[in-house]
């Protein structure tokens, strides 16, 4: 199958996502969390905030590709700050 470019950066990306999910699962087992109310006015847990962060980061990267077309490093930095905001205030 040559329709998809499986490169080392792609593999590293999926390994990081898998490691993040494993770490969050271990954290949920060792340190159960009670949901908290954020700026969205709904209760969220660590897993909810991780999902919101991953989904938002995907949209940030797609918008970056569609609007700017420059190096993806800028989208990575924007996604990092977005993640900090989500985990702090959402």
């Amino acid at each position: 199958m040559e329709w998809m470019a499986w490169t080392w950066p792609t593999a590293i990306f999926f390994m990081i996502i898998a490691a993040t999910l494993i770490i969050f699962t271990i954290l949920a087992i060792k340190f159960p969390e009670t949901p908290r109310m954020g700026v969205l006015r709904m209760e969220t847990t660590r897993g909810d905030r991780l999902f919101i962060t991953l989904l938002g980061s995907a949209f940030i990267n797609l918008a970056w590709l569609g609007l700017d077309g420059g190096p993806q490093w800028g989208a990575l930095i924007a996604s990092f700050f977005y993640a900090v905001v989500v985990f702090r205030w959402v």
Side-chain angles (χ1 to χ4, degrees):
M1 285 204 207
E2 296 182 23
W3 61 271
M4 189 165 187
W6 285 102
T7 62
W8 277 108
T10 305
I12 291 169
F13 170 78
F14 283 108
M15 286 188 280
I16 290 172
I17 296 295
T20 303
L21 291 173
I22 291 168
I23 289 169
F24 270 70
T25 301
I26 292 169
L27 283 174
I29 293 169
K30 287 190 145 240
F31 307 106
E33 180 186 28
T34 57
R36 70 175 193 202
M37 188 78 66
V39 296
L40 296 179
R41 307 310 313 154
M42 64 182 201
E43 292 183 342
T44 60
T45 62
R46 278 187 295 253
D48 298 330
R49 291 187 294 274
L50 176 64
F51 177 76
I52 292 167
T53 298
L54 291 174
L55 191 62
S57 295
F59 284 116
I60 289 170
N61 278 277
L62 286 172
W64 190 274
L65 282 173
L67 299 175
D68 183 39
Q72 262 332 89
W73 290 107
L76 177 65
I77 293 167
S79 295
F80 173 76
F81 286 114
Y82 172 71
V84 169
V85 168
V86 167
F87 272 91
R88 177 70 179 105
W89 289 296
V90 173

